[in-house]
Amino acid sequence: MMNSPGDISPNKAMSALRLCSPRLLPSNPHLHRHYLSSLSSSPFSSSLLSRSLATFKKLPRSCLGSQPVLGMEHFWTRGSLDKNKTLVEHLQQYGVLKTDKVAEVMETIDRGLFVPHGSAPYVDSPMSIGYNATISAPHMHATCLELLKDNLQPGMRALDVGSGTGYLTACFALMVGPQGRSVGIEHIPELVAASIENVRRSAAAQLLKDGSLSLHVADGRFGWREEAPYDAIHVGAAASEIPQALLEQLKPGGRMVIPVGDFFQDLQVVAKKPDGSITIHTETSVRYVPLTSRSAQLQNY
Ligand code: SAH
């Protein structure tokens, strides 16, 4: 998110929104992080953020107390999307989804099957899935699929580290097809069990049954050697530095998308050239939950 002079930063915006209308923001700090990511990491969110900042700047100073502001609440719910197809169309309109194949896959894998019962599945926002984890916002799923699409051709191999609900693992499986491999690694056994159920209800069920899609309980910092090397690696949690095992398990010609950093993170795109050398560029700034040990993640849970 680029701030022009005079703009307030996403952080300040979050504080202001929280002060003005606390009911609009989740109480779970991990969700706050993802709200920040959804505000700051894509053209869609940039547009939402600048509109919210414009609204914020017009507010009387008296709102900076603890009173909820109805106008703000209206703004934030107005964009709510009620169907998966509508959600995908919005992501296309805002330029986050650029490729027909990626849009088709996101339309085919119904996000509603992957969010906990009672959540609003078609809103462009991350949601808590328990265990101090979240399902990422749709625009982040779309962004990562777009970044990896050339390495998700039929027959290719994909690794999804921190697979959570299994949503992206299922999308990868549809992209690479029955001749390819889509492997999800998640270190919370309950989330893996739930993700298997989610996939069983989805359009990727047959791929799970046939074994081209698999979900495993493991520490994703070590990758998954059994199916390596991978054409595409996605990491859904932020690493302090890129794990060596993941670099090793990336195929020459392969691509990895990984958030790197502690509090503020860069969504890095790592390319391994055919000669094995590595290039890295930063795509955008994001806020993800950390790639960490199970015990560290479950502290205070
Ligand atoms: N992309 C997923 C989940 C994102 S949240 C989705 O959208 O559904 C990040 C996930 O990474 C969480 O489920 C968390 O439990 C997992 N995670 C964190 N550290 C991990 C590790 N060392 N190994 C495996 N999974 C990890």
Side-chain angles (χ1 to χ4, degrees):
M1 172 67 196
M2 298 288 292
N3 290 322
S4 58
D7 268 354
I8 63 172
S9 69
N11 254 351
K12 284 186 185 159
M14 287 298 288
S15 310
L17 291 171
R18 205 174 294 129
L19 274 171
C20 283
S21 189
R23 279 186 292 141
L24 302 183
L25 298 169
S27 55
N28 177 338
H30 294 272
L31 268 178
H32 277 144
R33 290 165 163 221
H34 280 266
Y35 263 81
L36 191 54
S37 139
S38 44
L39 286 172
S40 64
S41 59
S42 77
F44 186 35
S45 47
S46 302
S47 139
L48 275 181
L49 179 59
S50 51
R51 286 166 65 193
S52 70
L53 291 182
T55 311
F56 167 70
K57 284 174 181 169
K58 286 184 203 146
L59 292 170
R61 286 201 65 80
S62 58
C63 96
L64 294 172
S66 58
Q67 294 274 347
V69 178
L70 289 175
M72 293 292 286
E73 191 151 10
H74 177 70
F75 171 80
W76 281 97
T77 55
R78 198 175 53 195
S80 298
L81 309 168
D82 59 358
K83 291 200 179 99
N84 202 52
K85 194 173 180 349
T86 316
L87 172 62
V88 169
E89 283 167 5
H90 274 71
L91 293 171
Q92 285 176 305
Q93 275 164 24
Y94 280 94
V96 185
L97 269 177
K98 302 179 184 79
T99 311
D100 288 349
K101 177 72 186 166
V102 175
E104 188 188 311
V105 162
M106 284 190 71
E107 216 179 285
T108 308
I109 300 294
D110 181 359
R111 182 178 170 88
L113 301 172
F114 290 79
V115 303
H117 195 65
S119 311
Y122 308 116
V123 175
D124 190 19
S125 161
M127 285 170 196
S128 173
I129 54 172
Y131 308 94
N132 287 333
T134 55
I135 179 169
S136 300
H139 75 268
M140 284 314 302
H141 284 155
T143 299
C144 293
L145 281 162
E146 288 285 350
L147 288 170
L148 289 170
K149 65 175 189 295
D150 292 343
N151 293 69
L152 294 168
Q153 301 291 332
M156 289 186 167
R157 288 173 176 262
L159 178 68
D160 184 20
V161 172
S163 48
T165 60
Y167 177 85
L168 267 186
T169 321
C171 290
F172 293 162
L174 247 56
M175 300 276 292
V176 299
Q179 307 307 322
R181 285 281 179 283
S182 178
V183 179
I185 302 295
E186 166 59 55
H187 67 165
I188 306 289
E190 292 87 345
L191 288 180
V192 174
S195 69
I196 290 171
E197 287 311 310
N198 297 340
V199 172
R200 276 199 183 125
R201 290 193 300 264
S202 79
Q206 192 60 42
L207 298 166
L208 176 69
K209 211 170 165 191
D210 296 346
S212 60
L213 187 172
S214 58
L215 293 151
H216 308 273
V217 181
D219 187 334
R221 293 173 291 186
F222 300 105
W224 187 255
R225 291 197 189 280
E226 285 85 332
E227 304 275 5
Y230 299 97
D231 299 278
I233 298 181
H234 168 261
V235 184
S240 307
E241 52 187 47
I242 302 171
Q244 188 58 31
L246 298 184
L247 285 172
E248 285 165 12
Q249 291 174 33
L250 193 61
K251 199 183 268 186
R255 217 173 204 223
M256 168 160 45
V257 172
I258 176 168
V260 180
D262 295 316
F263 193 75
F264 290 103
Q265 304 143 9
D266 293 332
L267 188 68
Q268 295 191 345
V269 179
V270 180
K272 191 184 262 190
K273 291 190 185 155
D275 67 2
S277 62
I278 296 284
T279 61
I280 301 176
H281 81 263
T282 293
E283 186 67 23
T284 185
S285 297
V286 289
R287 297 287 292 132
Y288 278 68
V289 298
L291 185 72
T292 186
S293 67
R294 192 186 304 161
S295 58
Q297 184 173 324
L298 295 179
Q299 241 174 17
N300 308 322
Y301 178 68

